[in-house]
Amino acid sequence: MNPTSAGILTLLVGLLVALTTLWFIARSRQQEPAAQANQGLYKARTLYFVILSLCLLAGLTATLGKVPYGQADAANSQVVVNVNASMYNWEMVKVGAENAGELVIPAQKDVEFRVTGLDVNHGFGVYDADGHLLTQTQAMPGYTNRLVYNFAQPGVYHVLCLEYCGMMHPKMNTTFRVE
Amino acid sequence: MSNPALDNKRITVVYTVTALLVFLVLALLGWVMRLTQSGMVQLPSDAFYSVMTLHGLGMAGVMYTGAYAALWYLLSGYVQPSLKLMKINFVLILLGVVGLIGATLIGGFGAGWYVLYPLPFIEQWPRWSSLLAIVSLVLLGVAWLLGQLDLLRVLAQRYGLGGMLAWPTLFGKKSEAVPPLVLVAAINLLAGALTTVVGAVMLVLYLFQWMEPTVSLDALLMKNMVFLFGHTLVNITLYFGIAAIYELFPKYSGRPWVTNRVVALSWNVTFVLVMLVFFHHLYMDFANNIALHYIGQVGSYLSAIPATVVTVFGVLAQINRSGIRWSFVPLTFTLGVMGWIIGGFAAIVDTTIAINLTFHNTQWVPAHFHTYFLLGFAVMLFGIFYHLLEPEAEKLAKTSLAAILVGGYGFVTMFYLGGVNSVPRRFSGYEAVQTGTIAQTGHDLAVYAVGFAAILLVGVLLYYAAVFRRIGAAWNRA
Ligand code: HEM
Ligand SMILES: [Cu+2]
């Protein structure tokens, strides 16, 4: 689910919750003893429990297959980029092309980023040129996180730091090209 | 002549008034952050991050402490916790708060509220300020832990270990059920105590690191520890608020709220869930054990069941065709639970690993937690404090609530829009970003948020005008 759909879903559910609340507040003008008033409510609760459980189950089955873990092993990527994050700099080097100057990544290939932090935690956030966050992983000292991404379109891509790392954190960004 | 009920009341009033004053200062700092992000105020980025750190740590701390005080007071209707400890803790907590203010605003300490290792130890601010911040957190942690243990002690004495957890009700033995207040308190105090111990260990390791800069700790382990402590703390804060609502709502609706088997079961399940869901903070640490990521998502999803099936339906059963008089307090409870659920849903969305990949550390995160804290928990707490202080200023209080809701929902909506538009959280300014329209969007949303936060702050001030109106009477009434 992309961020916009997630936002719309949240808005709709939020409105539903608000309307339900208001409806119950409005209904509270009527007065009945609790046992009598709530008979229907307890039936609704059972129904709600079943529906909620099904929704949660559906949500889990639909999304748990789409986790970003283990993809590096499965993909056996031909292109590997080492990403070293330090305050406040991104060092990105394609394995096998150490001195080739600007980083260029092939389009439509599984690219594996091996991401680590050299000093503190940073966040490796990959954006397209329009400002959509495409994928990310943490750059943590002492650990290497392996992130796989397949760039469909050639163009310029941006990296923003997504983990607060100190005073200059908002300035810690760079770009690379996909061809 | 000593009057225990009056003494209990007075110490609670002291906590309440202090919490409200600290809250106001921290809320103003939140506004200053939005002003900075909008460019209307030019705050250097080091100052921004000190303010951010104080705001985050301070809000988490003041919300917890306020909730604890309310819980303590309500429980003192059933058991007598140590009044002396409550007083000592007040001093410890005050010292901790003063220490944090000194470390951040004077010392410039700015590692963020979850003080992610090893950021606190990288020289960007004087070394003493890191030490002061850690020591202040130790003071707070000690006070909180002692407070949790003391309440658990008196509850276990009165109800027994299994009794306070409603096990007799759960396992079908014929025994009088404990009030839901006691059950919910016991469950969450226990989870709090267990995880605060972990927090204490972490802080001791931090102290050790400070004294011995050559040692190096495991960053991933530290992150697991800090979130086990920090996440659970803020989570039980919310549940303390819920516990208070279980206790107080019947006083306004005239309908009892009892611990039946469903209630007992769901809170016992919550006991496990509340200590497991913190793994959702580590989704982007691919190197963390993968099973833990799954536990994070499944656990987070599951926690929606007890929260809504039991608590939300419980609230609805309180008001459904009840003829209740909608004074300020039940309004805050009902609308607060509503905010808690809306923010909770947004959080569940974010605990979906596949979605977190493009929401993690965007403004979606402050969006959802400000929803359930500010529009959920703080609204409930304002109601609880009003109940306690009995200012009889209905009209003013309701006006303040309207402003808080309008300003508050507008304020968080700007965060949600930031999240949807991939605007990163925790940026002191967006000028340096040259990616698409992020800089423009981040800036514009901050401008609108400044306006909404102003309405919100006016609401908060009106609320203060209401509750402080007859504070002297509250002081003298047991
Ligand atoms: C009362 C009005 C409030 C305002 C105007 C406000 C504003 C803000 C702002 C602007 C940020 C920075 C967002 C960013 O990452 O760019 C922030 C962060 C935060 N706020 Fe609030 N906030 C308010 C209330 C609360 C409440 C009630 C809590 C309760 C827990 C809270 C807890 C936090 C935390 C934990 C952070 C994160 C700090 C960090 O990232 O280290 N805030 N707030
Ligand atoms: Cu950074």
Side-chain angles (χ1 to χ4, degrees), chain B residues 372-393:
Chain B
Y372 48 72
F373 259 106
L374 184 63
L375 294 156
F377 177 77
V379 167
M380 297 178 207
L381 195 66
F382 280 3
I384 297 168
F385 286 171
Y386 186 100
H387 172 85
L388 188 79
L389 300 175
E390 296 177 77
E392 293 171 32

Side-chain angles (χ1 to χ4, degrees), chain A residues 27-28 30 48 127 143 162 164, chain B residues 110 218 321 323 326 361 422:
Chain A
R27 251 162 75 98
S28 71
Q30 311 161 20
Y48 170 82
Y127 281 73
Y143 288 87
L162 288 185
Y164 168 58
Chain B
D218 183 325
R321 298 181 196 248
W326 284 106
N361 280 350
S422 302

Side-chain angles (χ1 to χ4, degrees), chain A:
Chain A
M1 190 184 289
N2 68 28
T4 309
S5 327
I8 292 171
L9 177 68
T10 305
L11 177 66
L12 292 178
V13 171
L15 287 176
L16 184 69
V17 173
L19 288 177
T20 311
T21 311
L22 293 181
W23 188 66
F24 271 93
I25 292 180
R27 251 162 75 98
S28 71
R29 293 234 180 81
Q30 311 161 20
Q31 189 165 9
E32 281 175 24
Q36 198 178 329
N38 286 335
Q39 257 174 10
L41 190 70
Y42 289 120
K43 276 198 200 119
R45 183 172 79 163
T46 312
L47 184 68
Y48 170 82
F49 171 68
V50 173
I51 293 176
L52 175 68
S53 304
L54 290 176
C55 285
L56 292 176
L57 204 65
L60 288 173
T61 30
T63 60
L64 279 182
K66 297 193 179 139
V67 298
Y69 317 122
Q71 289 180 353
D73 295 319
N76 198 5
S77 319
Q78 290 137 4
V79 186
V80 175
V81 179
N82 285 322
V83 180
N84 292 320
S86 60
M87 295 156 80
Y88 299 94
N89 178 50
W90 294 103
E91 181 194 84
M92 298 174 64
V93 181
K94 192 156 76 176
V95 174
E98 268 78 4
N99 311 313
E102 194 205 0
L103 174 67
V104 179
I105 287 174
Q108 294 170 10
K109 282 224 165 83
D110 283 349
V111 181
E112 178 185 331
F113 296 98
R114 293 190 183 152
V115 183
T116 190
L118 300 181
D119 38 37
V120 296
N121 284 280
H122 302 273
F124 179 64
V126 181
Y127 281 73
D128 68 15
D130 295 333
H132 300 111
L133 176 55
L134 303 175
T135 190
Q136 64 172 310
T137 192
Q138 188 88 358
M140 180 178 270
Y143 288 87
T144 300
N145 291 322
R146 298 165 71 200
L147 171 73
V148 173
Y149 196 79
N150 193 314
F151 295 90
Q153 301 294 330
V156 177
Y157 288 80
H158 296 232
V159 176
L160 299 190
C161 184
L162 288 185
E163 184 63 82
Y164 168 58
C165 56
M167 303 311 150
M168 308 272 278
H169 166 60
K171 302 204 163 93
M172 183 170 161
N173 48 45
T174 188
T175 57
F176 60 87
R177 253 178 335 117
V178 170
E179 284 182 349

